[in-house]
Amino acid sequence: MTAKVRNFRLVAIALIAFVATSAVIHSLLPPMIPKGVAAKLKYFSEHKDEFDTVIVGTSQLYYSVSPKIFDATTRENGMPTRTFNFGIDAMHPPENFFVLDQILKTKPKNLKSVLL
């Protein structure tokens, strides 16, 4: 057996062991949801059918988009909305996609729009 074949086998075994270990850990441990996200997710799940628009993103969206002003503006323009701002400090991809997935798992009946 040549050194290249042997090295390839060792790398393949290490990669398979890493993937298998990661899969076992992922299946045994629940995903960690930060406190700020958990609190907002809890509130949203309790009131999910009251909202038709959800804003998911970083603190830039959280602090710059007011649901009251957004809803008033859309209502004035003939498209009334009821918005929930799910912005969280420093929530960049892939965290925002995970949060959106958690929101969609609650199966909100009236959700029409998502601003990501």
Side-chain angles (χ1 to χ4, degrees):
M1 182 178 334
T2 67
K4 286 183 182 180
V5 172
R6 183 174 181 269
N7 288 343
F8 177 78
R9 282 186 175 175
L10 291 175
V11 169
I13 290 170
L15 183 61
I16 290 169
F18 175 75
V19 170
T21 303
S22 297
V24 168
I25 290 172
H26 180 73
S27 68
L28 295 176
L29 299 176
M32 185 179 150
I33 300 175
K35 289 180 184 177
V37 174
K40 282 190 170 196
L41 191 57
K42 181 179 185 295
Y43 179 84
F44 182 80
S45 64
E46 292 170 355
H47 301 276
K48 64 184 178 198
D49 296 331
E50 297 174 20
F51 302 102
D52 60 14
T53 304
V54 175
I55 299 169
V56 180
T58 64
S59 58
Q60 195 166 14
L61 280 175
Y62 178 61
Y63 294 112
S64 64
V65 179
S66 165
K68 286 183 181 181
I69 295 172
F70 186 86
D71 291 343
T73 304
T74 57
R75 187 173 33 262
E76 289 171 7
N77 290 292
M79 190 176 143
T81 58
R82 173 93 168 135
T83 305
F84 185 82
N85 192 334
F86 221 107
I88 302 288
D89 290 340
M91 184 170 57
H92 297 283
E95 290 89 3
N96 60 350
F97 299 122
F98 173 75
V99 169
L100 179 59
D101 187 46
Q102 297 304 307
I103 291 168
L104 295 176
K105 282 182 182 178
T106 66
K107 300 185 191 261
K109 293 179 185 175
N110 300 318
L111 185 63
K112 295 177 187 172
S113 302
V114 174
L115 175 62
L116 189 63

